[in-house]
Amino acid sequence: MIGANSTGENVTRLPSPLVELKDPFWNNQEIRLWVKRDDLIHPIVSGNKYRKLAFLMPELANNGYEGVLSFGGPNSNHAHALAWMCRCYGVPLTLMIRSSVSHPQSATLEDVRTWGAEVRTIPPKQYREKDTIPMMRAWRARYPGYLIIPEGGSHPKSLLGFKSMMEEVREVLPKPDLFICPVGTGATMAGMIKYKRDREQVLGVSALKSSTLFKDLNARWKLDRFQGWTLAEQWHFGGYGKTPSSLLKFVKWFEEVYSIRLDPIYSGKAMFAFFEYVKYQLIPPGSQVVFLHTGGLQGWRGIAGQ
Ligand SMILES: Cc1ncc(COP(=O)(O)O)c(C=O)c1O
């Protein structure tokens, strides 16, 4: 459904490429690194957004929902991808955008408005409460017949998308040892933890700073049922959306050396963590590591001075 571009050409790239990066820095420790290039799946719906929405959109079409209600910040990758998907499926979309101004502007919002989404705003304080039971009741009453997709596309059914991502990896690399991904709402990591094999490990790298993150993610995704995963919380670079020059320098350097553009909000922080793990010899020799590029490159447009 998202395959065609304006000239009718199919531009969805699945399975996404799995590319090995060679460098003595990790190869000398007998570590091999592959990048799962989900950023290349589609020019608009890429990365974990594709994986999450791929299973939700058919659900929407098959269950007679009248529309979709979802949430995000003014540069939200999820809002961007969802607006395109809803346009392709001909489904009305209302986006509740976190903002203290009544008509927020961003390149992302310009696109979603062009694609027909209704953009409404919700002040930051209320936004934090959007998933509480009373607020959910209020959303349902206000948008009857709508599918409510949480921020980040992190609906419980979106986890299934990561099963196919991991299967694609194992088709090429039958015995990966460690998967690395960035963490926001935790759905991507939770999907990988849920669908990993016993011998496989998952390392999630938090893009946000929160003293209750581990507890919150455990509670939301019931992760304590599973073994073989770690949440790294020390590479958030100051918190969600913070992009200090040290991080931007790393991401730019990485692109120059390996010809892969990362986004600084999520995958840049996770890749930085991989480098730190190598530097401190925290990955066992002989490991085959798969780094999931979760896309989000449209978000660069929201980064000041870029
Ligand atoms: C590009 C990108 N990578 C990673 C994440 C984090 O994924 P999750 O929210 O599933 O933890 C997001 C946000 O959802 C994102 O937009």
Side-chain angles (χ1 to χ4, degrees):
M1 197 66 183
I2 55 159
N5 65 11
S6 54
T7 57
E9 185 192 352
N10 189 335
V11 290
T12 306
R13 196 162 169 199
L14 284 170
S16 67
L18 185 69
V19 179
E20 181 169 10
L21 300 190
K22 296 194 175 168
D23 193 306
F25 182 47
W26 48 85
N27 292 149
N28 286 352
Q29 288 185 36
E30 291 172 47
I31 295 165
R32 291 179 71 187
L33 172 68
W34 284 263
V35 178
K36 178 68 172 156
R37 298 289 313 268
D38 272 9
D39 55 311
L40 299 178
I41 291 178
H42 186 271
I44 298 172
V45 187
S46 79
N48 61 350
K49 301 304 160 236
Y50 175 84
R51 300 291 177 185
K52 289 176 179 183
L53 293 175
F55 288 90
L56 275 181
M57 295 312 285
E59 147 111 5
L60 179 74
N62 299 335
N63 288 307
Y65 286 104
E66 283 170 30
V68 176
L69 173 68
S70 197
F71 307 85
N75 302 307
S76 164
N77 296 316
H78 160 64
H80 197 250
L82 182 63
W84 178 259
M85 281 291 226
C86 285
R87 176 188 190 258
C88 296
Y89 278 78
V91 176
L93 168 66
T94 298
L95 289 167
M96 288 288 164
I97 298 295
R98 184 190 64 239
S99 173
S100 36
V101 298
S102 61
H103 193 81
Q105 301 283 357
S106 69
T108 305
L109 292 179
E110 205 174 295
D111 285 348
V112 308
R113 287 184 177 113
T114 306
W115 298 332
E118 180 194 25
V119 175
R120 293 181 158 262
T121 54
I122 166 167
K125 190 167 170 289
Q126 260 175 282
Y127 187 87
R128 281 195 287 278
E129 286 162 17
K130 66 189 180 313
D131 304 317
T132 58
I133 292 170
M135 284 295 277
M136 286 304 281
R137 257 192 227 123
W139 298 129
R140 283 200 204 97
R142 199 157 139 196
Y143 294 94
Y146 270 50
L147 174 67
I148 302 180
I149 303 183
E151 173 184 54
S154 301
H155 188 282
K157 290 194 176 162
S158 67
L159 269 54
L160 192 57
F162 299 97
K163 182 171 190 257
S164 38
M165 184 280 292
M166 294 173 107
E167 282 165 357
E168 283 175 23
V169 168
R170 293 188 205 104
E171 283 284 308
V172 183
L173 184 70
K175 289 194 167 180
D177 297 291
L178 173 65
F179 286 88
I180 302 180
C181 69
V183 173
T185 65
T188 302
M189 179 180 77
M192 289 163 73
I193 292 171
K194 185 167 177 196
Y195 295 110
K196 76 179 191 63
R197 292 188 175 153
D198 281 351
R199 61 178 299 282
E200 296 167 351
Q201 303 277 320
V202 172
L203 170 65
V205 180
S206 176
L208 40 107
K209 183 177 168 185
S210 157
S211 55
T212 58
L213 186 69
F214 186 80
K215 193 169 116 272
D216 296 346
L217 294 182
N218 241 321
R220 180 168 180 185
W221 303 110
K222 313 221 173 355
L223 295 176
D224 45 15
R225 293 174 294 160
F226 302 98
Q227 308 226 315
W229 64 276
T230 310
L231 177 69
E233 298 190 65
Q234 57 274 61
W235 288 290
H236 51 66
F237 284 86
Y240 180 72
K242 297 277 191 294
T243 53
S245 56
S246 54
L247 173 64
L248 293 176
K249 212 169 130 194
F250 170 75
V251 168
K252 286 183 177 165
W253 169 83
F254 186 89
E255 184 174 358
E256 266 166 41
V257 176
Y258 305 104
S259 307
I260 296 178
R261 180 158 237 228
L262 301 169
D263 90 296
I265 309 288
Y266 293 103
S267 53
K269 294 180 180 180
M271 184 57 87
F272 190 92
F274 167 74
F275 274 69
E276 292 286 283
Y277 265 65
V278 173
K279 182 165 143 197
Y280 293 107
Q281 304 190 354
L282 297 173
I283 300 176
S287 294
Q288 307 202 90
V289 180
V290 176
F291 180 93
L292 177 64
H293 192 320
T294 50
L297 297 176
Q298 73 86 28
W300 269 105
R301 300 177 301 171
I303 295 168
Q306 301 310 307

